[in-house]
């Protein structure tokens, strides 16, 4: 089969595109004919070695897929050939990635795609959406009526956070660029602040005089001095980006107000947590309320170029979808 793969860790240009051996499913696995995959920041972290994990070479890159069941093992109950499915947890922890014509997925990491949902829009949404779900409900412990601040709300994860938090009954404050203010408001944000505003902290304090219950920074700036100071008593900061940041933690303001800071990566989510997120995501997909803002389509052979573009910051706010049925020049 054709795949985008690496033989060593390194920069984007270590990615090769060509023929490798097709994967063979085990008794509780499912062989999927891949329609499309995506490129996420975490894919570049794994490929470069920034995010250490077990890798068997040749290693197929990419996290997410949407496709059709080709063969289900005897222990993969409930799935059969022809089912349209998706996954967002390959390419880590010894699992081969999704950037190939076929992929093997453990049955407990594979979910049916609801009927009538555009598979290419879905594959662009499922990774940011699952990250947002885990940040809000598993690690952020969000409750109805709380105030949430989403920094970087116009991005892929940020927009999913706003959508889910609003639907859960939270009051959502956001920061974004001025040109993205209308988009954030359309997602349901109660207030949108320009992140360049010199009085940003003051404006947030005036908008939430009792403090913010949950603070999430999708841009990974991780200014904990400011974030912790904006929290309500028992408020939480959830860290989910900014691998290279080294923020200062104001310990007194944290522990004297029962506040907390927690970090997570979706790569360490359990199958049960991922399945819980998948059920929620499928419901939003059925309702048509979870849509990527912008998609760029590429052939699978363009994986190296797309990785390089992502690392240069050229894809901000857009989702790169690599399709197995598209060739260079299409």
């Amino acid at each position: 089969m054709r795949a985008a793969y690496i033989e060593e860790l390194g920069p984007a240009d270590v990615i090769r595109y060509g023929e490798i051996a097709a994967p063979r499913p085990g008794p509780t696995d499912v062989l999927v004919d891949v329609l499309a995959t995506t490129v996420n920041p975490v894919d570049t972290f794994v490929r470069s070695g920034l995010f250490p994990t077990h890798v068997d070479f040749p290693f197929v890159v990419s996290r997410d897929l949407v496709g059709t069941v080709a063969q289900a093992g005897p222990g993969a109950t409930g799935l059969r050939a022809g089912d349209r499915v998706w996954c967002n947890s390959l390419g880590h922890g010894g699992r081969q990635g999704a950037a190939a014509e076929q992929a093997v997925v453990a049955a407990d990491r594979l979910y049916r795609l609801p009927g009538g949902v555009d598979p290419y829009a879905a594959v662009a949404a499922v990774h940011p959406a699952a990250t947002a779900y885990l940040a809000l409900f598993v690690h952020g412990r969000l409750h109805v009526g709380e105030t949430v601040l989403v920094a970087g709300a116009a991005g892929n994860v940020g927009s999913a956070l706003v959508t889910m938090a609003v639907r859960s009954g939270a009051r959502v404050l956001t920061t974004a660029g001025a040109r993205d203010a209308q988009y954030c408001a359309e997602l349901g944000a109660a207030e949108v602040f320009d992140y360049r505003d010199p009085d940003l902290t003051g404006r947030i304090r005036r908008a939430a005089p009792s403090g913010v219950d949950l603070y999430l920074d999708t841009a990974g700036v991780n200014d904990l001095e400011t974030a912790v100071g904006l929290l309500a008593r028992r408020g939480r900061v959830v860290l989910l980006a900014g691998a290279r940041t080294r923020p200062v933690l104001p310990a007194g303001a944290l522990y004297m107000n029962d506040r907390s800071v927690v970090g997570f990566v979706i790569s360490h989510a359990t199958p049960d947590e991922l399945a819980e997120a998948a059920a929620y995501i499928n419901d939003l997909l059925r309702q048509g309320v979870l849509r990527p803002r912008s998609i760029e389509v590429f052939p699978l052979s363009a994986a190296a170029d797309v990785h390089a573009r992502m690392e240069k910051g050229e894809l901000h706010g857009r989702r790169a979808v690599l399709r197995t049925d598209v060739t260079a020049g299409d």
Side-chain angles (χ1 to χ4, degrees):
M1 68 172 186
R2 290 172 294 180
Y5 64 94
I6 61 175
E7 296 279 9
E8 61 180 329
L9 300 179
D13 61 12
V14 302
I15 298 176
R16 301 285 180 261
Y17 176 73
E19 295 282 342
I20 63 172
R24 308 180 80 172
T28 59
D29 294 331
V30 178
L31 181 65
V32 177
D33 289 329
V34 178
L35 290 172
T37 184
T38 61
V39 178
N40 301 292
V42 69
D43 299 328
T44 70
F45 299 161
V46 171
R47 183 218 72 230
S48 67
L50 177 63
F51 189 175
T53 186
H54 178 78
V55 172
D56 288 320
F57 299 114
F59 176 72
V60 177
V61 299
S62 286
R63 182 64 53 100
D64 318 319
L65 67 76
V66 65
T68 303
V69 173
Q71 176 188 340
T77 57
L79 291 167
R80 60 185 180 181
D83 286 346
R84 186 62 58 85
V85 290
W86 62 271
C87 174
N88 59 355
S89 59
L90 297 181
H92 187 272
R95 298 181 294 278
Q96 285 285 341
E101 292 178 315
Q102 290 190 311
V104 164
V105 186
D108 61 356
R109 292 177 177 270
L110 194 63
Y111 322 106
R112 279 197 179 87
L113 185 70
V117 173
D118 179 353
Y120 306 109
V123 76
V126 294
H127 184 80
T131 300
Y133 180 90
L134 295 170
L136 288 171
F137 304 114
V138 175
H139 301 281
R141 309 186 308 280
L142 180 63
H143 298 291
V144 174
E146 290 192 317
T147 297
V148 177
L149 176 65
V150 179
N156 298 308
V157 175
S159 59
L161 284 166
V162 175
T163 298
M164 292 181 185
V166 168
R167 292 179 70 82
S168 74
R171 176 173 178 249
V172 182
L173 311 179
T174 61
T175 69
R179 66 179 181 179
D180 295 317
Q182 182 61 36
Y183 174 64
C184 294
E186 290 170 358
L187 292 173
E191 300 273 1
V192 185
F193 305 107
D194 187 338
Y195 75 92
R196 296 185 181 89
D197 190 330
D199 188 34
L200 176 61
T201 301
R203 290 185 182 277
I204 294 171
R205 284 202 175 102
R206 290 189 289 275
S210 298
V212 171
D213 298 294
L214 182 58
Y215 184 109
L216 307 111
D217 177 7
T218 67
V221 175
N222 296 334
D223 177 5
L224 294 184
E225 191 79 51
T226 298
V228 170
L230 287 170
L231 293 180
R233 184 166 294 173
R234 297 201 173 184
R236 292 88 64 199
V237 174
V238 176
L239 303 181
L240 64 160
R244 295 181 175 88
T245 59
R246 296 292 185 271
V248 173
L249 180 68
L254 189 78
Y255 80 81
M256 289 181 181
N257 291 283
D258 299 349
R259 297 163 177 162
S260 62
V261 177
V262 63
F264 87 100
V265 289
I266 191 173
S267 300
H268 296 157
T270 67
D272 285 346
E273 289 170 341
L274 291 170
E276 179 184 315
Y280 187 93
I281 290 165
N282 271 346
D283 186 50
L284 296 188
L285 289 173
R286 286 188 195 96
Q287 296 177 50
V289 298
L290 189 63
R291 296 182 299 272
R293 186 178 184 184
S294 177
I295 293 176
E296 269 193 76
V297 174
F298 301 89
L300 197 58
S301 58
D305 179 61
V306 177
H307 271 235
R309 289 185 61 191
M310 174 163 281
E311 290 176 310
K312 293 174 184 175
E314 296 177 2
L315 293 176
H316 182 70
R318 301 195 302 278
R319 291 291 280 152
V321 172
L322 309 181
R323 291 177 53 165
T324 58
D325 63 343
V326 173
T327 57
D330 284 1

